Amino acid sequence: MEASPFDFQRFIDGWVREVIDFDPQIFPAEPRFGDFQCNGIFPHAKKSGIPPRQLGEQILKALQASNNANLFDLSLAGAGFINFQIATPAIEGWLEKYASEKDFSEATRDLAGKIIVVDYSCPNTAKQMHVGHLRSMVIGDAIARLFKLFGAEVIRDNHLGDWGTQFGILLMQLRKEKISWENLSPDETIECLEGIYRRGVQETQISEDAMNQARAELVALQNGDPERISRWKWINTVSYASFQEIYDLVGVKFDHVLGESFYRDRINGICDELCQYGIAEKDNGALVVFHRDHPHFQRQPFIIRKRDGASNYASTDLATVLYRQEKWHCDEIIYVTDSRQRDHFQQLFLTVERWFAARNCALPGLRHIWFGTVCGEDGKAIKTRSGEPIRLKTLFAEAIHRAAGIVASKDPSLTAADQAHISQAVGVGAIKYGDLLQNRTSDYIFSWDKMLSLEGNTAPYLQYAVARIYAIFRRANINPNMMEKFHKIKLLEPQEIALARKLLFYPCVLRQALADLRPHFICTYIYELAGIFSSFYSSTKVLGADPLILFSRLSLCARTLTVLRSGLNLLGIEILEKM
Ligand code: ARG
C-alpha cells in the first residue's frame, strides 16, 4: 500500500492529471457513491466528441494500472463519472500518519516562505470598540491563524484610525469644556471623551464657527503643534488601553500597531510622486485619481488630498502599502473590513497597481476580505435601546454572564475559579463562533439563544463535545496524546469507518477555507464531525472493548479530538478539558 496522502482531494487531482490533460474537477462525492468524484469527464467528452462512457473507461483503465490504485476502490458510474472510494487500509494508514496538530502543520506548507500582512481590527481612537468592530477582529484573527497553519509568515498589523477628522472636533470641544480628568478611571475617561466627541459633533452641525474651529484644530495638530500633539497622544493612550482590554479578553494579538498617524510624514511625497507619474490630478482643488478604463471609477474620484490640503484615509493607505512592501517585503496584504469599504479598496488597489508599475517595484497581492453587518432582531444593524451601537465590553460581559448560568446548571460541583474560567471561555467563544459560523459576506441576526445553546452549531456545543472526549480519556486513565504513537488502528464497525472517513476530509476543508478566506467552512465541518463522533460513541463499545480494539478506538477518539482542537484553535475558540 502506498503511503496515504494528507489531502486526498489534491492527491487525486494530481494523479488524474497524470493521465489526462483537462481539468478533472475532483469533488467530494455523495457518500453513497464514494469519497470523491471526478466530474470533468462528461464536459470534456462533449467538447471533444468522444462518447463520455468510452472516455471514462479509458481513464479508469489508466488509473487502475497505476500503483496508487490500491489506495482506492475505483468505479465508473452514470454518464462518465469516476468514483473514488478510499480503501479501508488507506484510511487506517492516514489515521496512523496524521495524528497530531504538528503533523497537520507539517503537511500544510502551501504558503511556506510567503510573508502575509493581515490588516484587521483597526478601530478609530477616542471611542470604545463597539459591535461594528467585532467582525474584523474575529475574522481577521481566524484568517491570520489559517495562514500560519499553512506555513506563511504572518504579520498582524492593527492600522488604528488615530489621525482622522475626529481629532479636530475633539480638540475643539475639549478646549470648551473644562473637565478635571485626575479623578476619572481609564474607563470613565474614555466614556467622557465619547461624550465630548458627541457634543462636539452636535456643535459643528449647528455652528459654522465651531466647524471652522474644529478644522483649525485639525490643521494645527497636523502641523505638529506641541500642545495639540500632547493631547492627541494622551487620547490615543487612553483609547488603546480600552482596546487592549478587549484584545486580552478575546485572545487577539498584534505584531504591529501602526496607526494612520505613523504615515503622516510620508504622504506629501507620495502625492507629489503620483502627480509626477500622471496618476493623480487636481480636481476642484482636491488631488484625485481617476481610473479611465473603469466603468465606475472613471467618474468617481479617489480623493487623496482634500481641498484644504489635509491628507486622508486614502493617501494614508497608499503610504501604508508602500511601507509594508519596502519594510517587510510582503507577498500579500489582506484587509479585513466591512462591505461599505469595497469602493475604497478597489480604488486603492487600482491606484497602487499603476503607481507600483510606474515606480517599477514589486506589487504585493492585495485582497479586501469584506463582511456583512451584525443585525438585531429587526434585521437592521444592532443597536442599544437608545440607538447607540452596543459596546464590545458590554456585549462580552453579557455573554459571560449568560454562560455562567449555563455552566452552573451543567456541573454545580465546579469550584468558583473553574466556573469563572469556563464561563469566560464559553461566553467569549460563543460570540466569536456565532460570528465565524456565518458566511462572512452575509449579514446575520445576532441571537443570544442561538449562539449560547448547548445544541446545534455553537461554540458551547463544540467545547462540550471536546470536554466529553477528554472525559473518556480521564475514565480510561490515559493521556490522549499517548494515542498519537499507536499504530495498529483497525476499523471494524460501520460507525467507526464513517468517523474515520470524516476525519480525513479535514485537509480538504482547510484548503477550502483558505482558498476563499471563509472560516465558516471549518465551523460546518467540525460541527458535522462532532455529530458523527457522537453517533460513533453511542453505538460502538469503546471503554469496555477488548484491549486491541480498545486502543484502536481510543485512537479514533484521540484523532477526533485532534481535529476538533485544531479547528477550534484556528477559529480562536478556547479548548476546555472539563466543562
Ligand atoms: N479605521 C478604519 C475603520 O474604522 C479601518 C481601517 C482598515 N484598514 C485600512 N488599512 N484601511 O473603518
Side-chain angles (χ1 to χ4, degrees), residues 119-124 133 159-161 260 313 317 320 324 335-338 341 344-345:
D119 173 310
Y120 73 110
S121 188
C122 316
N124 297 335
H133 297 109
H159 185 80
L160 293 181
E260 293 175 9
Y313 190 52
D317 259 332
T320 307
R324 288 171 176 165
Y335 299 87
V336 189
T337 82
D338 71 40
Q341 298 199 32
H344 166 77
F345 283 107

Short mmCIF file of all heavy atoms in Angstrom, two decimals, residues 119-124 133 159-161 260 313 317 320 324 335-338 341 344-345, ligand 1:
data_model
loop_
_atom_site.label_atom_id
_atom_site.label_comp_id
_atom_site.label_asym_id
_atom_site.label_seq_id
_atom_site.Cartn_x
_atom_site.Cartn_y
_atom_site.Cartn_z
N ASP A 119 -4.27 42.99 7.92
CA ASP A 119 -4.64 44.32 8.44
C ASP A 119 -6.05 44.16 8.98
O ASP A 119 -7.00 43.98 8.22
CB ASP A 119 -4.56 45.29 7.25
CG ASP A 119 -5.07 46.70 7.51
OD1 ASP A 119 -6.19 46.85 8.04
OD2 ASP A 119 -4.37 47.67 7.14
N TYR A 120 -6.19 44.12 10.29
CA TYR A 120 -7.52 43.87 10.85
C TYR A 120 -7.69 44.54 12.20
O TYR A 120 -6.74 45.00 12.79
CB TYR A 120 -7.78 42.37 10.93
CG TYR A 120 -7.02 41.64 12.02
CD1 TYR A 120 -7.68 41.14 13.12
CD2 TYR A 120 -5.65 41.45 11.92
CE1 TYR A 120 -6.99 40.46 14.12
CE2 TYR A 120 -4.96 40.78 12.91
CZ TYR A 120 -5.63 40.29 14.00
OH TYR A 120 -4.94 39.62 14.99
N SER A 121 -8.94 44.57 12.62
CA SER A 121 -9.41 45.26 13.82
C SER A 121 -9.44 46.77 13.53
O SER A 121 -10.47 47.29 13.19
CB SER A 121 -8.60 44.92 15.07
OG SER A 121 -9.25 45.49 16.19
N CYS A 122 -8.30 47.46 13.69
CA CYS A 122 -8.18 48.85 13.20
C CYS A 122 -9.30 49.80 13.64
O CYS A 122 -9.88 50.49 12.79
CB CYS A 122 -8.11 48.90 11.68
SG CYS A 122 -7.03 47.71 10.93
N PRO A 123 -9.66 49.83 14.91
CA PRO A 123 -10.70 50.79 15.31
C PRO A 123 -10.16 52.22 15.27
O PRO A 123 -8.94 52.43 15.22
CB PRO A 123 -11.02 50.39 16.75
CG PRO A 123 -9.79 49.71 17.24
CD PRO A 123 -9.13 49.06 16.05
N ASN A 124 -11.08 53.16 15.28
CA ASN A 124 -10.68 54.55 15.39
C ASN A 124 -10.55 54.90 16.87
O ASN A 124 -11.36 54.46 17.68
CB ASN A 124 -11.71 55.46 14.72
CG ASN A 124 -11.80 55.18 13.23
OD1 ASN A 124 -10.85 54.69 12.62
ND2 ASN A 124 -12.95 55.47 12.64
N HIS A 133 -17.09 46.64 15.43
CA HIS A 133 -15.68 46.25 15.37
C HIS A 133 -15.47 44.76 15.61
O HIS A 133 -14.34 44.28 15.60
CB HIS A 133 -14.87 47.03 16.41
CG HIS A 133 -14.88 48.50 16.19
ND1 HIS A 133 -15.55 49.39 17.00
CD2 HIS A 133 -14.32 49.25 15.22
CE1 HIS A 133 -15.39 50.61 16.55
NE2 HIS A 133 -14.65 50.56 15.46
N HIS A 159 -4.04 48.74 12.08
CA HIS A 159 -3.92 50.06 11.44
C HIS A 159 -4.96 51.00 12.07
O HIS A 159 -6.01 51.28 11.48
CB HIS A 159 -4.17 49.87 9.94
CG HIS A 159 -3.97 51.08 9.09
ND1 HIS A 159 -2.74 51.52 8.68
CD2 HIS A 159 -4.87 51.95 8.54
CE1 HIS A 159 -2.88 52.60 7.92
NE2 HIS A 159 -4.17 52.88 7.83
N LEU A 160 -4.64 51.46 13.25
CA LEU A 160 -5.59 52.29 14.00
C LEU A 160 -5.97 53.56 13.27
O LEU A 160 -5.12 54.18 12.62
CB LEU A 160 -4.97 52.74 15.33
CG LEU A 160 -4.67 51.71 16.40
CD1 LEU A 160 -4.08 52.43 17.61
CD2 LEU A 160 -5.92 50.95 16.77
N GLY A 161 -7.20 53.96 13.43
CA GLY A 161 -7.61 55.28 12.92
C GLY A 161 -7.30 56.32 13.99
O GLY A 161 -8.16 56.69 14.77
N GLU A 260 -2.73 55.26 11.54
CA GLU A 260 -2.66 56.18 10.40
C GLU A 260 -1.60 57.27 10.64
O GLU A 260 -0.91 57.70 9.72
CB GLU A 260 -4.04 56.82 10.17
CG GLU A 260 -5.09 55.82 9.72
CD GLU A 260 -6.49 56.43 9.62
OE1 GLU A 260 -6.63 57.66 9.72
OE2 GLU A 260 -7.45 55.66 9.43
N TYR A 313 -7.80 59.28 4.56
CA TYR A 313 -7.79 57.82 4.66
C TYR A 313 -7.10 57.19 3.45
O TYR A 313 -6.28 56.27 3.58
CB TYR A 313 -9.25 57.39 4.74
CG TYR A 313 -9.50 55.95 5.10
CD1 TYR A 313 -8.92 55.38 6.23
CD2 TYR A 313 -10.34 55.16 4.32
CE1 TYR A 313 -9.18 54.06 6.56
CE2 TYR A 313 -10.60 53.85 4.64
CZ TYR A 313 -10.01 53.29 5.77
OH TYR A 313 -10.28 51.99 6.10
N ASP A 317 -3.58 55.13 3.26
CA ASP A 317 -3.50 53.73 2.83
C ASP A 317 -2.47 53.53 1.73
O ASP A 317 -1.82 52.48 1.67
CB ASP A 317 -4.88 53.22 2.40
CG ASP A 317 -5.53 52.39 3.50
OD1 ASP A 317 -4.79 51.78 4.30
OD2 ASP A 317 -6.78 52.34 3.58
N THR A 320 0.76 53.36 3.38
CA THR A 320 0.86 52.12 4.17
C THR A 320 1.27 50.94 3.28
O THR A 320 2.10 50.12 3.67
CB THR A 320 -0.50 51.83 4.85
OG1 THR A 320 -0.89 53.00 5.57
CG2 THR A 320 -0.38 50.68 5.81
N ARG A 324 4.73 48.78 3.85
CA ARG A 324 4.70 47.34 4.08
C ARG A 324 5.51 46.59 3.03
O ARG A 324 6.14 45.58 3.32
CB ARG A 324 3.25 46.84 4.06
CG ARG A 324 2.48 47.29 5.29
CD ARG A 324 1.00 47.00 5.18
NE ARG A 324 0.31 47.34 6.42
CZ ARG A 324 -1.01 47.47 6.53
NH1 ARG A 324 -1.78 47.26 5.48
NH2 ARG A 324 -1.55 47.78 7.69
N TYR A 335 -6.87 42.93 3.79
CA TYR A 335 -7.59 43.94 4.56
C TYR A 335 -8.94 43.37 4.97
O TYR A 335 -9.70 42.93 4.11
CB TYR A 335 -7.84 45.19 3.72
CG TYR A 335 -6.59 45.89 3.23
CD1 TYR A 335 -5.98 45.50 2.04
CD2 TYR A 335 -6.03 46.92 3.96
CE1 TYR A 335 -4.84 46.14 1.59
CE2 TYR A 335 -4.89 47.57 3.52
CZ TYR A 335 -4.30 47.18 2.33
OH TYR A 335 -3.17 47.82 1.89
N VAL A 336 -9.22 43.42 6.26
CA VAL A 336 -10.48 42.85 6.74
C VAL A 336 -11.37 43.99 7.26
O VAL A 336 -11.14 44.52 8.35
CB VAL A 336 -10.22 41.81 7.86
CG1 VAL A 336 -11.50 41.07 8.20
CG2 VAL A 336 -9.13 40.83 7.45
N THR A 337 -12.33 44.40 6.45
CA THR A 337 -13.25 45.46 6.89
C THR A 337 -14.67 45.13 6.39
O THR A 337 -14.86 44.20 5.63
CB THR A 337 -12.91 46.86 6.32
OG1 THR A 337 -13.45 46.97 5.00
CG2 THR A 337 -11.43 47.14 6.29
N ASP A 338 -15.60 45.97 6.77
CA ASP A 338 -16.97 45.72 6.34
C ASP A 338 -17.18 46.09 4.87
O ASP A 338 -16.33 46.71 4.24
CB ASP A 338 -17.99 46.41 7.26
CG ASP A 338 -18.00 47.91 7.11
OD1 ASP A 338 -17.90 48.41 5.97
OD2 ASP A 338 -18.11 48.60 8.13
N GLN A 341 -16.63 49.44 2.63
CA GLN A 341 -15.35 49.98 2.15
C GLN A 341 -14.89 49.34 0.84
O GLN A 341 -13.73 49.46 0.46
CB GLN A 341 -14.29 49.80 3.23
CG GLN A 341 -14.63 50.57 4.49
CD GLN A 341 -13.43 50.81 5.39
OE1 GLN A 341 -12.30 50.94 4.92
NE2 GLN A 341 -13.67 50.85 6.68
N HIS A 344 -13.58 51.89 -1.68
CA HIS A 344 -12.28 52.43 -1.24
C HIS A 344 -11.15 51.47 -1.62
O HIS A 344 -10.14 51.89 -2.20
CB HIS A 344 -12.28 52.66 0.28
CG HIS A 344 -10.91 52.89 0.85
ND1 HIS A 344 -10.25 54.10 0.72
CD2 HIS A 344 -10.05 52.06 1.50
CE1 HIS A 344 -9.04 54.00 1.30
NE2 HIS A 344 -8.91 52.77 1.77
N PHE A 345 -11.33 50.19 -1.30
CA PHE A 345 -10.22 49.26 -1.54
C PHE A 345 -10.04 48.97 -3.03
O PHE A 345 -8.91 48.84 -3.49
CB PHE A 345 -10.37 47.98 -0.71
CG PHE A 345 -9.99 48.22 0.72
CD1 PHE A 345 -10.95 48.30 1.71
CD2 PHE A 345 -8.67 48.45 1.07
CE1 PHE A 345 -10.60 48.56 3.04
CE2 PHE A 345 -8.30 48.71 2.38
CZ PHE A 345 -9.27 48.77 3.37
N1 ARG B 1 -10.13 52.54 10.79
C1 ARG B 1 -10.93 52.04 9.72
C2 ARG B 1 -12.39 51.97 10.15
O1 ARG B 1 -12.69 52.05 11.32
C3 ARG B 1 -10.49 50.67 9.25
C4 ARG B 1 -9.11 50.58 8.71
C5 ARG B 1 -8.87 49.38 7.86
N2 ARG B 1 -7.53 49.29 7.37
C6 ARG B 1 -7.02 50.05 6.41
N3 ARG B 1 -5.74 49.90 6.11
N4 ARG B 1 -7.72 50.95 5.76
O2 ARG B 1 -13.24 51.82 9.31
#
